[in-house]
Every structure is written in structure tokens, then in C-alpha cells.
Amino acid sequence: MKIGVLAVQGNVREHAAMLRRLGADVVEVRKPEQLDGLDGLVVPGGESTTFMRLMRLYGLDEALRSFAGPVLGTCAGMIVLDREHLGMIDLEVDRNAYGRQVASFEADLRLRGDDEPLRGVFIRAPRVREAGPDVEVLAEHEGEPVLLRQGRFLVASFHPELTEDTRVHELFLDAVREAISVRA
Ligand code: GLN
């Protein structure tokens, strides 16, 4: 499996390390043509405004729109995929929507279909305001969705790359494997 990590900004190394641990070949993507031949793509966290600006500068916004494989977006990566930005996932998201006192926090999350809690690291995290009818909620925090899936898109408002728990990346790689087998 050849997985790209968008390397304009953010937690690129952490994602790459986790994907390698799970057996993927990782490519750091800085140019549109590097998306060719990838089986999946990770859009990491960072700062979404800077992220969008740099993506436009390198033509990565358009390239991403035409990328057809599974995509994992975390934190700012979820913001850039939403309705207001690249419009690839049917979500309306508020940026930095947790109060100042709790701007960053950790919490145990319930992952759907799994008894083991998932540790969520939230850093100035986005909050989902509205999700379209095709969006499934895979984990919640205090009744609000924090891990969601819409077809080939998996998005988390937290940072799974900052813990030792590999389950979110495994979910993503399962989707990648499935897409490869459908293609074959
Ligand atoms: N607060 C950032 C933004 O609005 C996202 C934070 C993150 O990715 N850790 O883009």
C-alpha cells in the first residue's frame, strides 16, 4: 500500500511513522504529481488557513479534488475537506470551537463496535455543526461526533497520530485495502 501524507504543514512525521508501523509505504506529498499512483492519502492537522493557502500556492487543492482514493483527515485536515473549503465531505465545521479554558484536552472516546476506549487528543479542535445524511458517526465525545465517515472519507477532530493507539489508522488502511481489491 502506497499512502501519501500531505506535507505542506502539520503532523506529517507522526502520521508517517504510524502508517509505516502498520506496513504502508509512505510518500510525503508536496507536489500535485506526487498524488499519482497513491492508494490513499492523509491530510494532517496544522492550521487550516495556512494549510489552504499553501495548498492553493502549490496547486494541491485542485489535485486533491481529483484524488479518487480513500482519505483520512485529522483536525485541520477535517476542516480543509469540509463544505466551506474543498467541499469533499458533507460537513459544516466550526474552527477552534471549544472554549478557551478547554481549547486542548484529552478524553476517552467510545469507538463504535469496540469496547476498548479510544484516547482522543484534542488541540484547538474543530467541532461538527452539521453533518449531511450520508455521514456516519464512528465516535463521539460528550454526545458530539468526533470521528466520522462518508464513503471513502474518514475524518477525526482529534489527533490519532499522537497516541500509541493505531485503530483509526487501521480503519483507514482497511478502506484502502478494500478500494485496492475493488480496483483489481
Ligand atoms: N485550530 C486549527 C485550525 O483551525 C486546527 C488545529 C489542529 O489541527 N490541531 O485550523
Side-chain angles (χ1 to χ4, degrees):
M1 279 180 293
K2 206 171 146 192
I3 306 295
V5 179
L6 208 61
V8 289
Q9 209 217 7
N11 298 338
V12 177
R13 255 175 309 154
E14 292 82 351
H15 275 292
M18 192 162 256
L19 291 163
R20 284 194 185 106
R21 238 169 87 190
L22 295 171
D25 284 332
V26 179
V27 180
E28 294 191 3
V29 175
R30 295 192 175 78
K31 296 182 211 151
E33 56 271 27
Q34 289 174 312
L35 288 172
D36 295 342
L38 292 182
D39 299 310
L41 180 71
V42 175
V43 187
E47 207 285 314
S48 55
T49 313
T50 312
F51 220 108
M52 283 304 297
R53 192 159 43 79
L54 293 173
M55 285 210 299
R56 275 190 208 109
L57 189 67
Y58 299 117
L60 282 163
D61 53 343
E62 279 315 308
L64 215 74
R65 279 202 186 95
S66 37
F67 182 73
V71 177
L72 167 65
T74 58
C75 204
M78 165 177 182
I79 300 172
V80 305
L81 296 169
D82 77 1
R83 285 180 191 155
E84 238 183 280
H85 297 87
L86 295 175
M88 295 175 80
I89 182 160
D90 198 10
L91 287 184
E92 209 163 293
V93 172
D94 289 326
R95 293 180 56 203
N96 303 326
Y98 290 91
R100 259 213 184 146
Q101 305 300 327
V102 291
S104 299
F105 57 95
E106 290 190 25
D108 278 332
L109 310 172
R110 261 199 78 129
L111 183 61
R112 203 174 75 182
D114 204 327
D115 290 331
E116 179 89 11
L118 177 70
R119 193 73 180 157
V121 178
F122 294 82
I123 304 171
R124 296 170 58 74
R127 215 162 179 164
V128 174
R129 180 156 18 113
E130 201 188 293
D134 298 331
V135 179
E136 301 169 75
V137 176
L138 302 186
E140 291 183 336
H141 171 58
E142 293 181 347
E144 290 186 44
V146 293
L147 178 67
L148 308 99
R149 178 163 62 193
Q150 182 187 344
R152 63 189 172 95
F153 295 96
L154 181 65
V155 288
S157 55
F158 55 97
H159 289 270
E161 76 284 8
L162 296 183
T163 64
E164 292 297 305
D165 196 325
T166 55
R167 281 175 290 169
V168 172
H169 289 78
E170 283 174 55
L171 266 176
F172 165 63
L173 292 180
D174 287 346
V176 171
R177 265 182 223 108
E178 203 178 303
I180 293 173
S181 74
V182 168
R183 231 165 46 206

